[in-house]
């Protein structure tokens, strides 16, 4: 039994070391996690302050959290991550439940990503569905939670999330879908945008 136990232990240690190298190979650097720089649009403004045109690869304009209606934030938390203020980047039980569902159905149906995990994926990682990408997403989420407050994470998420029709971030989505600033959105309009996520 001793030889068998040592062999199993060695296999686990080697497997763990291999997994650590595989996950860390595609991870963003600590500086990238602490100082994200999402692409922004460039606006051409006239001398009297009127916007003449806008140029972008990704249609994104940043917004402060205080400009976002409270109903919209409540809708985001209710649909995407109810435990946002109570976890450290990962909802462990949600990930276990999703992994179990994926295992039973033999397909990646469940995402189980927290807002912080989605932020990590949107800024630093690809959209591919793989176990390694998911592990990188989880590790990045923990580091983001260590580097930023919950309010900073919400602001970053709302400014980088893709809402369709070329709109990256809640301000761009508000302009694209309703032709108004995010602070002017009604509750149904805000709920519609959150539903797009």
């Amino acid at each position: 039994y001793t030889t068998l136990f040592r062999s199993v232990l060695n296999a686990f240690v080697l497997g763990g070391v291999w997994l650590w190298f595989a996950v860390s190979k595609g991870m963003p650097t600590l500086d990238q996690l602490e100082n994200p720089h999402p692409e922004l649009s460039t606006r051409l403004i006239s001398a009297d302050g009127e916007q003449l045109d806008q140029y972008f690869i990704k249609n994104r304009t940043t917004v402060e959290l205080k400009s976002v209606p409270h109903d919209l934030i409540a809708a985001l938390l209710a649909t995407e991550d109810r435990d946002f203020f109570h976890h450290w980047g990962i909802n462990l039980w949600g990930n276990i439940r999703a992994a179990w569902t994926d295992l039973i159905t033999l397909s990646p149906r469940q995402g189980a990503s927290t807002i912080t995990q989605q932020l990590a994926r949107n800024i630093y990682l690809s959209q591919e569905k793989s176990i390694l990408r998911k592990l990188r997403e989880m590790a990045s989420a923990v580091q983001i939670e260590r580097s930023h407050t919950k309010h900073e994470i919400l602001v970053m998420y709302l400014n980088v999330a893709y809402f369709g029709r070329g709109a990256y971030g809640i301000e761009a989505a508000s302009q694209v879908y309703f032709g108004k600033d995010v602070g002017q959105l009604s509750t149904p309009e805000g709920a519609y945008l959150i539903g797009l996520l």
Side-chain angles (χ1 to χ4, degrees):
Y1 290 115
T2 305
T3 306
L4 178 62
F5 177 74
R6 284 184 184 160
S7 298
V8 170
L9 183 61
N10 286 338
F12 275 115
V13 169
L14 288 174
V17 169
W18 174 84
L19 185 61
W20 183 79
F21 277 115
V23 169
S24 63
K25 183 179 179 184
M27 289 282 296
T29 66
L30 189 58
D31 183 57
Q32 289 172 318
L33 288 170
E34 291 178 355
N35 303 300
H37 298 289
E39 298 169 340
L40 299 174
S41 59
T42 300
R43 294 178 176 201
L44 183 60
I45 308 291
S46 67
D48 61 355
E50 185 178 331
Q51 180 175 322
L52 301 174
D53 209 345
Q54 185 173 0
Y55 304 97
F56 54 84
I57 294 173
K58 290 185 176 179
N59 184 9
R60 179 182 291 128
T61 304
T62 59
V63 66
E64 295 293 324
L65 195 59
K66 64 185 176 190
S67 303
V68 180
H70 293 290
D71 290 344
L72 191 145
I73 295 168
L76 172 68
L77 295 173
T79 58
E80 295 295 320
D81 191 352
R82 290 184 183 146
D83 295 324
F84 177 70
F85 287 103
H86 306 289
H87 62 64
W88 37 275
I90 300 169
N91 182 334
L92 191 58
W93 293 114
N95 280 291
I96 291 170
R97 180 186 61 358
W100 179 253
T101 302
D102 291 350
L103 184 64
I104 297 243
T105 61
L106 297 176
S107 66
R109 295 180 182 211
Q110 297 288 309
S113 293
T114 63
I115 284 175
T116 314
Q117 285 177 262
Q118 292 176 47
L119 175 64
R121 180 177 60 238
N122 288 337
I123 294 181
Y124 308 110
L125 305 169
S126 69
Q127 299 296 323
E128 74 169 307
K129 291 188 183 247
S130 73
I131 292 172
L132 279 179
R133 198 265 310 146
K134 189 68 167 176
L135 291 172
R136 289 178 185 131
E137 176 184 298
M138 292 168 76
S140 297
V142 171
Q143 185 58 44
I144 289 170
E145 290 272 347
R146 291 180 63 202
S147 306
H148 300 281
T149 67
K150 291 289 188 175
H151 291 283
E152 289 172 335
I153 292 168
L154 273 178
V155 168
M156 286 189 288
Y157 180 83
L158 286 169
N159 283 317
V160 301
Y162 182 62
F163 289 87
R165 292 178 57 189
Y168 289 84
I170 193 68
E171 179 64 29
S174 180
Q175 292 292 337
V176 166
Y177 288 96
F178 300 108
K180 56 174 109 170
D181 291 335
V182 68
Q184 300 171 334
L185 290 175
S186 67
T187 299
E189 291 168 340
Y192 176 80
L193 292 181
I194 295 303
L196 294 174
L197 293 172

